[in-house]
Short mmCIF file of all heavy atoms in Angstrom, two decimals:
data_model
loop_
_atom_site.label_atom_id
_atom_site.label_comp_id
_atom_site.label_asym_id
_atom_site.label_seq_id
_atom_site.Cartn_x
_atom_site.Cartn_y
_atom_site.Cartn_z
N ILE Y 1 -61.72 -35.88 28.94
CA ILE Y 1 -62.14 -34.52 28.61
C ILE Y 1 -61.01 -33.84 27.85
O ILE Y 1 -59.84 -34.08 28.10
CB ILE Y 1 -62.49 -33.76 29.90
CG1 ILE Y 1 -63.71 -34.41 30.57
CG2 ILE Y 1 -62.79 -32.29 29.62
CD1 ILE Y 1 -63.96 -33.94 31.98
N ASP Y 2 -61.36 -32.98 26.89
CA ASP Y 2 -60.37 -32.31 26.04
C ASP Y 2 -59.18 -31.79 26.82
O ASP Y 2 -58.02 -32.04 26.46
CB ASP Y 2 -61.02 -31.13 25.30
CG ASP Y 2 -61.92 -31.57 24.17
OD1 ASP Y 2 -61.77 -32.70 23.68
OD2 ASP Y 2 -62.78 -30.77 23.76
N SER Y 3 -59.44 -31.00 27.85
CA SER Y 3 -58.36 -30.35 28.59
C SER Y 3 -57.45 -31.35 29.28
O SER Y 3 -56.23 -31.13 29.39
CB SER Y 3 -58.93 -29.37 29.63
OG SER Y 3 -59.81 -30.02 30.53
N GLN Y 4 -58.00 -32.47 29.73
CA GLN Y 4 -57.17 -33.50 30.36
C GLN Y 4 -56.24 -34.14 29.34
O GLN Y 4 -55.08 -34.43 29.64
CB GLN Y 4 -58.06 -34.56 31.02
CG GLN Y 4 -58.87 -34.02 32.19
CD GLN Y 4 -59.89 -35.03 32.70
OE1 GLN Y 4 -60.39 -35.87 31.95
NE2 GLN Y 4 -60.23 -34.92 33.97
N ALA Y 5 -56.75 -34.36 28.13
CA ALA Y 5 -55.93 -34.95 27.07
C ALA Y 5 -54.80 -33.99 26.67
O ALA Y 5 -53.66 -34.41 26.48
CB ALA Y 5 -56.79 -35.29 25.86
N ILE Y 6 -55.13 -32.70 26.54
CA ILE Y 6 -54.11 -31.73 26.17
C ILE Y 6 -53.02 -31.66 27.24
O ILE Y 6 -51.83 -31.60 26.93
CB ILE Y 6 -54.74 -30.34 25.96
CG1 ILE Y 6 -55.62 -30.36 24.72
CG2 ILE Y 6 -53.67 -29.26 25.83
CD1 ILE Y 6 -56.43 -29.10 24.51
N ALA Y 7 -53.43 -31.69 28.50
CA ALA Y 7 -52.45 -31.66 29.60
C ALA Y 7 -51.50 -32.84 29.51
O ALA Y 7 -50.29 -32.71 29.76
CB ALA Y 7 -53.16 -31.64 30.94
N LYS Y 8 -52.02 -34.02 29.16
CA LYS Y 8 -51.17 -35.20 29.00
C LYS Y 8 -50.12 -34.99 27.92
O LYS Y 8 -49.00 -35.51 28.01
CB LYS Y 8 -52.01 -36.42 28.64
CG LYS Y 8 -52.69 -37.11 29.81
CD LYS Y 8 -53.34 -38.41 29.35
CE LYS Y 8 -52.30 -39.43 28.92
NZ LYS Y 8 -52.91 -40.70 28.49
N ALA Y 9 -50.49 -34.23 26.90
CA ALA Y 9 -49.58 -34.02 25.77
C ALA Y 9 -48.53 -32.96 26.05
O ALA Y 9 -47.37 -33.13 25.67
CB ALA Y 9 -50.37 -33.64 24.52
N VAL Y 10 -48.88 -31.87 26.73
CA VAL Y 10 -47.99 -30.70 26.77
C VAL Y 10 -47.30 -30.45 28.11
O VAL Y 10 -46.37 -29.64 28.16
CB VAL Y 10 -48.75 -29.42 26.33
CG1 VAL Y 10 -49.40 -29.62 24.98
CG2 VAL Y 10 -49.77 -28.99 27.37
N VAL Y 11 -47.76 -31.10 29.18
CA VAL Y 11 -47.07 -30.95 30.47
C VAL Y 11 -46.18 -32.17 30.67
O VAL Y 11 -46.67 -33.30 30.67
CB VAL Y 11 -48.07 -30.82 31.64
CG1 VAL Y 11 -47.31 -30.72 32.97
CG2 VAL Y 11 -48.95 -29.58 31.45
N LYS Y 12 -44.91 -31.95 30.82
CA LYS Y 12 -43.95 -33.05 30.88
C LYS Y 12 -44.27 -33.98 32.05
O LYS Y 12 -44.59 -33.53 33.15
CB LYS Y 12 -42.52 -32.51 31.01
CG LYS Y 12 -41.45 -33.57 30.86
CD LYS Y 12 -40.07 -32.96 30.77
CE LYS Y 12 -39.00 -34.03 30.63
NZ LYS Y 12 -39.16 -34.86 29.42
N ASP Y 13 -44.20 -35.27 31.80
CA ASP Y 13 -44.43 -36.26 32.84
C ASP Y 13 -43.58 -35.96 34.07
O ASP Y 13 -42.37 -35.72 33.96
CB ASP Y 13 -44.09 -37.67 32.34
CG ASP Y 13 -45.14 -38.21 31.37
OD1 ASP Y 13 -46.25 -37.64 31.33
OD2 ASP Y 13 -44.84 -39.18 30.65
N GLY Y 14 -44.22 -35.96 35.24
CA GLY Y 14 -43.50 -35.73 36.47
C GLY Y 14 -43.41 -34.28 36.89
O GLY Y 14 -43.00 -33.97 38.01
N ASP Y 15 -43.81 -33.35 36.01
CA ASP Y 15 -43.78 -31.92 36.33
C ASP Y 15 -45.04 -31.57 37.11
O ASP Y 15 -46.14 -31.56 36.57
CB ASP Y 15 -43.71 -31.11 35.04
CG ASP Y 15 -43.57 -29.61 35.29
OD1 ASP Y 15 -43.78 -29.16 36.42
OD2 ASP Y 15 -43.26 -28.88 34.31
N ALA Y 16 -44.87 -31.27 38.39
CA ALA Y 16 -46.02 -30.98 39.26
C ALA Y 16 -46.35 -29.49 39.28
O ALA Y 16 -47.20 -29.05 40.05
CB ALA Y 16 -45.73 -31.47 40.68
N GLY Y 17 -45.69 -28.70 38.43
CA GLY Y 17 -45.93 -27.26 38.39
C GLY Y 17 -47.32 -26.90 37.92
O GLY Y 17 -48.10 -27.75 37.47
N THR Y 18 -47.63 -25.61 38.02
CA THR Y 18 -48.96 -25.11 37.68
C THR Y 18 -48.89 -24.31 36.38
O THR Y 18 -48.10 -23.37 36.26
CB THR Y 18 -49.52 -24.23 38.81
OG1 THR Y 18 -49.58 -25.01 40.02
CG2 THR Y 18 -50.90 -23.72 38.48
N TYR Y 19 -49.74 -24.68 35.42
CA TYR Y 19 -49.75 -24.06 34.10
C TYR Y 19 -51.17 -23.67 33.71
O TYR Y 19 -52.13 -24.38 34.04
CB TYR Y 19 -49.20 -25.02 33.04
CG TYR Y 19 -47.77 -25.45 33.28
CD1 TYR Y 19 -47.48 -26.57 34.05
CD2 TYR Y 19 -46.71 -24.71 32.75
CE1 TYR Y 19 -46.17 -26.96 34.28
CE2 TYR Y 19 -45.40 -25.09 32.96
CZ TYR Y 19 -45.13 -26.22 33.73
OH TYR Y 19 -43.83 -26.60 33.97
N LEU Y 20 -51.30 -22.57 32.99
CA LEU Y 20 -52.57 -22.22 32.36
C LEU Y 20 -52.43 -22.55 30.87
O LEU Y 20 -51.57 -22.00 30.18
CB LEU Y 20 -52.87 -20.73 32.54
CG LEU Y 20 -54.05 -20.16 31.73
CD1 LEU Y 20 -55.33 -20.93 31.98
CD2 LEU Y 20 -54.24 -18.67 32.03
N ILE Y 21 -53.24 -23.48 30.39
CA ILE Y 21 -53.21 -23.89 28.99
C ILE Y 21 -54.34 -23.19 28.25
O ILE Y 21 -55.50 -23.23 28.68
CB ILE Y 21 -53.35 -25.41 28.85
CG1 ILE Y 21 -52.18 -26.12 29.58
CG2 ILE Y 21 -53.37 -25.82 27.38
CD1 ILE Y 21 -52.30 -27.63 29.61
N VAL Y 22 -54.00 -22.54 27.15
CA VAL Y 22 -54.98 -21.83 26.32
C VAL Y 22 -55.01 -22.51 24.96
O VAL Y 22 -54.04 -22.45 24.20
CB VAL Y 22 -54.61 -20.34 26.16
CG1 VAL Y 22 -55.64 -19.62 25.30
CG2 VAL Y 22 -54.49 -19.67 27.54
N HIS Y 23 -56.12 -23.16 24.66
CA HIS Y 23 -56.25 -23.95 23.42
C HIS Y 23 -57.21 -23.25 22.47
O HIS Y 23 -58.43 -23.21 22.70
CB HIS Y 23 -56.78 -25.35 23.76
CG HIS Y 23 -57.07 -26.18 22.55
ND1 HIS Y 23 -58.13 -27.06 22.49
CD2 HIS Y 23 -56.47 -26.25 21.33
CE1 HIS Y 23 -58.16 -27.64 21.30
NE2 HIS Y 23 -57.16 -27.16 20.58
N ILE Y 24 -56.67 -22.68 21.39
CA ILE Y 24 -57.49 -21.99 20.40
C ILE Y 24 -57.86 -22.96 19.29
O ILE Y 24 -57.03 -23.31 18.44
CB ILE Y 24 -56.75 -20.76 19.82
CG1 ILE Y 24 -56.36 -19.81 20.94
CG2 ILE Y 24 -57.64 -20.04 18.80
CD1 ILE Y 24 -55.51 -18.64 20.48
N ASP Y 25 -59.09 -23.43 19.30
CA ASP Y 25 -59.57 -24.33 18.25
C ASP Y 25 -60.32 -23.50 17.22
O ASP Y 25 -60.33 -22.28 17.27
CB ASP Y 25 -60.46 -25.41 18.87
CG ASP Y 25 -60.46 -26.70 18.07
OD1 ASP Y 25 -60.02 -26.68 16.90
OD2 ASP Y 25 -60.91 -27.74 18.59
N TYR Y 26 -60.97 -24.16 16.27
CA TYR Y 26 -61.62 -23.44 15.18
C TYR Y 26 -62.75 -22.53 15.68
O TYR Y 26 -62.85 -21.38 15.28
CB TYR Y 26 -62.17 -24.42 14.15
CG TYR Y 26 -61.11 -25.14 13.36
CD1 TYR Y 26 -61.19 -26.51 13.15
CD2 TYR Y 26 -60.03 -24.45 12.82
CE1 TYR Y 26 -60.21 -27.18 12.42
CE2 TYR Y 26 -59.05 -25.12 12.10
CZ TYR Y 26 -59.14 -26.49 11.90
OH TYR Y 26 -58.17 -27.15 11.19
N THR Y 27 -63.63 -23.06 16.52
CA THR Y 27 -64.82 -22.30 16.92
C THR Y 27 -64.87 -21.96 18.40
O THR Y 27 -65.84 -21.35 18.85
CB THR Y 27 -66.10 -23.09 16.57
OG1 THR Y 27 -66.09 -24.34 17.27
CG2 THR Y 27 -66.19 -23.34 15.07
N ARG Y 28 -63.85 -22.33 19.16
CA ARG Y 28 -63.87 -22.07 20.59
C ARG Y 28 -62.44 -22.02 21.13
O ARG Y 28 -61.50 -22.48 20.48
CB ARG Y 28 -64.65 -23.17 21.31
CG ARG Y 28 -64.04 -24.56 21.14
CD ARG Y 28 -64.94 -25.65 21.66
NE ARG Y 28 -64.33 -26.97 21.50
CZ ARG Y 28 -64.93 -28.12 21.77
NH1 ARG Y 28 -66.17 -28.10 22.23
NH2 ARG Y 28 -64.31 -29.27 21.59
N THR Y 29 -62.32 -21.44 22.31
CA THR Y 29 -61.03 -21.44 23.01
C THR Y 29 -61.25 -22.04 24.39
O THR Y 29 -62.15 -21.61 25.13
CB THR Y 29 -60.46 -20.02 23.14
OG1 THR Y 29 -60.21 -19.49 21.82
CG2 THR Y 29 -59.14 -20.02 23.90
N GLU Y 30 -60.44 -23.05 24.71
CA GLU Y 30 -60.56 -23.75 25.99
C GLU Y 30 -59.41 -23.32 26.90
O GLU Y 30 -58.26 -23.22 26.46
CB GLU Y 30 -60.52 -25.26 25.77
CG GLU Y 30 -61.67 -25.76 24.92
CD GLU Y 30 -61.47 -27.18 24.42
OE1 GLU Y 30 -60.30 -27.64 24.35
OE2 GLU Y 30 -62.47 -27.84 24.10
N PHE Y 31 -59.74 -23.07 28.16
CA PHE Y 31 -58.76 -22.65 29.15
C PHE Y 31 -58.74 -23.70 30.26
O PHE Y 31 -59.80 -24.12 30.74
CB PHE Y 31 -59.12 -21.30 29.75
CG PHE Y 31 -59.34 -20.21 28.73
CD1 PHE Y 31 -60.55 -20.09 28.06
CD2 PHE Y 31 -58.32 -19.31 28.43
CE1 PHE Y 31 -60.75 -19.09 27.11
CE2 PHE Y 31 -58.51 -18.30 27.50
CZ PHE Y 31 -59.72 -18.19 26.83
N SER Y 32 -57.56 -24.09 30.69
CA SER Y 32 -57.49 -25.04 31.80
C SER Y 32 -56.25 -24.75 32.63
O SER Y 32 -55.19 -24.40 32.10
CB SER Y 32 -57.46 -26.48 31.29
OG SER Y 32 -56.38 -26.68 30.40
N VAL Y 33 -56.41 -24.88 33.94
CA VAL Y 33 -55.28 -24.76 34.85
C VAL Y 33 -54.89 -26.16 35.28
O VAL Y 33 -55.72 -26.92 35.80
CB VAL Y 33 -55.61 -23.90 36.08
CG1 VAL Y 33 -54.39 -23.84 37.02
CG2 VAL Y 33 -56.01 -22.49 35.66
N VAL Y 34 -53.64 -26.52 35.01
CA VAL Y 34 -53.12 -27.84 35.34
C VAL Y 34 -52.11 -27.69 36.47
O VAL Y 34 -51.19 -26.87 36.38
CB VAL Y 34 -52.43 -28.49 34.12
CG1 VAL Y 34 -51.87 -29.86 34.47
CG2 VAL Y 34 -53.41 -28.59 32.96
N SER Y 35 -52.30 -28.46 37.53
CA SER Y 35 -51.38 -28.43 38.66
C SER Y 35 -51.24 -29.85 39.18
O SER Y 35 -52.23 -30.59 39.26
CB SER Y 35 -51.91 -27.51 39.76
OG SER Y 35 -50.95 -27.32 40.78
N GLU Y 36 -50.03 -30.23 39.51
CA GLU Y 36 -49.74 -31.60 39.97
C GLU Y 36 -50.21 -32.63 38.93
O GLU Y 36 -50.71 -33.69 39.29
CB GLU Y 36 -50.36 -31.85 41.34
CG GLU Y 36 -49.82 -30.91 42.41
CD GLU Y 36 -50.33 -31.26 43.79
OE1 GLU Y 36 -49.96 -32.31 44.31
OE2 GLU Y 36 -51.13 -30.45 44.33
N GLN Y 37 -50.08 -32.27 37.65
CA GLN Y 37 -50.38 -33.16 36.52
C GLN Y 37 -51.88 -33.33 36.24
O GLN Y 37 -52.25 -34.08 35.33
CB GLN Y 37 -49.73 -34.54 36.72
CG GLN Y 37 -48.21 -34.52 36.81
CD GLN Y 37 -47.55 -34.68 35.46
OE1 GLN Y 37 -47.68 -35.71 34.80
NE2 GLN Y 37 -46.81 -33.66 35.05
#
């Protein structure tokens, strides 16, 4: 899924912290909360 792929790219391996990722694409914006990778 898009958000899982983005998390793999932008959250450093081994970082179990919690992040809100905001992805602004051409026609939509995706929001995902990543925690424990």
Side-chain angles (χ1 to χ4, degrees):
I1 295 168
D2 286 339
S3 57
Q4 294 172 331
I6 292 173
K8 279 187 66 179
V10 306
V11 178
K12 189 171 179 61
D13 286 344
D15 184 347
T18 301
Y19 299 90
L20 170 55
I21 299 174
V22 180
H23 174 216
I24 303 174
D25 207 345
Y26 291 134
T27 60
R28 62 189 181 185
T29 297
E30 298 166 337
F31 306 82
S32 57
V33 179
V34 179
S35 189
E36 299 186 68
Q37 298 270 297

